[in-house]
Amino acid sequence: MAGTNQTEVYVYEQVVILTSCVLSFFGSLLIISTYFCWPDLKTKPRQLLMFLSVSDLLSALSYFYGVLRMFDSDSADCVAQGAISTFANTSSFFWTVAIAIYLYVFIVKSSKRRADNLVLYFHLISWGIPLAITVAALSLHKIGYDASEVSVGWCWVNIQAEDHVLWMLLTGKIWEFVAYVTLPVLYILIKMHIHRAHTALSEYRPILTSNPVSQSPSSATDRKMTLIPIIFIMLRMWSTIRFLLLVFGSPAGHYPILVTLHGIGNTFQGAANCIMFVLFTPSISSRLWALLRCRDRDGHYTSESVSQNRTNAKTQTGGEQ
């Protein structure tokens, strides 16, 4: 199945990763759709999650094409797919860190205004830097077939380039390492701040419980979004492990279980965010469920009406005869 790929990719791995891409695509699409459909969800944290989902959606599409094609050499579509996935993947790193920074300033520093003022810079950095890196890599012909050494069928940095390790760092891995360090620190600081705040207000909890403001859904959502770094690390660690194994020349990077985990980790980000911040968020999942029930009910009523109309028509025809 792998053709001339140096790392063999089996059919079952291909099917699993393609399924992960599809789930991530629809998961990202659902996050984007719910953001635009319901005005009360248009908070800044949800907006940042929406932009992250745009990157994840683009990644899912490009990875899907790459895994479906299973490239075995450089080609025009290989380079195009590699460029798109490089841009989207790197952008996803930046948006994930941007969300953590926003939540840190908003929750720990208690400054919504300062956090909101950062959003413009988030756009410039999270779209601009990945675009500049991708354009530079394309101009220098660094993107191409990588023999699935640090991918699973898709194209990334040309494995034949003498400085391919350097370009793997520049087009993704160095930003991944920065995220590994930055996200846990910010996450721990946010959780410590929330814990201290809860402890300090413990004697007033009976009063606050009866106060609807203290149970603000947006506040609960902001805190829940601190789980994004955990999702990020759990999914991305497998690609990092394979990259390190490549650098040190270890054959363990070819093990099927590691290749499969790498493929799922790189492609499941959008689906994981959807599960956590749509399906497992009661205020949103209840609306989706109500919407589905309304459509089912409307369809049921429509089919009953059609059936009744046909019966009436037959009765009238029989009466005329």
Side-chain angles (χ1 to χ4, degrees), residues 28-40:
S28 300
L29 193 62
L30 189 58
I31 291 174
I32 297 169
S33 300
T34 54
Y35 175 80
F36 284 107
C37 286
W38 292 309
D40 60 304

Side-chain angles (χ1 to χ4, degrees), residues 305 307-317:
S305 299
S307 178
Q308 186 64 38
N309 290 337
R310 288 177 178 174
T311 302
N312 293 339
K314 289 180 180 179
T315 303
Q316 290 174 3
T317 302

Side-chain angles (χ1 to χ4, degrees), residues 28-63:
S28 300
L29 193 62
L30 189 58
I31 291 174
I32 297 169
S33 300
T34 54
Y35 175 80
F36 284 107
C37 286
W38 292 309
D40 60 304
L41 294 180
K42 293 186 177 181
T43 62
K44 283 296 180 183
R46 279 278 165 185
Q47 185 184 71
L48 298 180
L49 179 61
M50 186 270 293
F51 289 125
L52 171 61
S53 298
V54 171
S55 296
D56 290 336
L57 186 147
L58 195 57
S59 290
L61 284 174
S62 62
Y63 285 139

Side-chain angles (χ1 to χ4, degrees), residues 21 34 36 55 60 62 65 78 89 91 97 100 118 122 159 173 177 184 227 236 242 266-267 281 291 301 305 309:
C21 290
T34 54
F36 284 107
S55 296
S62 62
Y65 182 80
C78 167
N89 207 35
S91 178
V97 175
L118 290 173
F122 291 157
I159 199 66
K173 291 306 168 187
F177 293 141
L227 292 174
R236 298 288 182 174
R242 286 194 72 205
N266 267 46
T267 59
T281 300
L291 187 63
Y301 289 157
S305 299
N309 290 337

Side-chain angles (χ1 to χ4, degrees), residues 198-219:
H198 284 179
T199 302
L201 294 173
S202 60
E203 60 183 298
Y204 300 107
R205 280 176 185 167
I207 300 175
L208 293 174
T209 301
S210 61
N211 184 358
V213 176
S214 68
Q215 302 297 326
S216 170
S218 61
S219 177

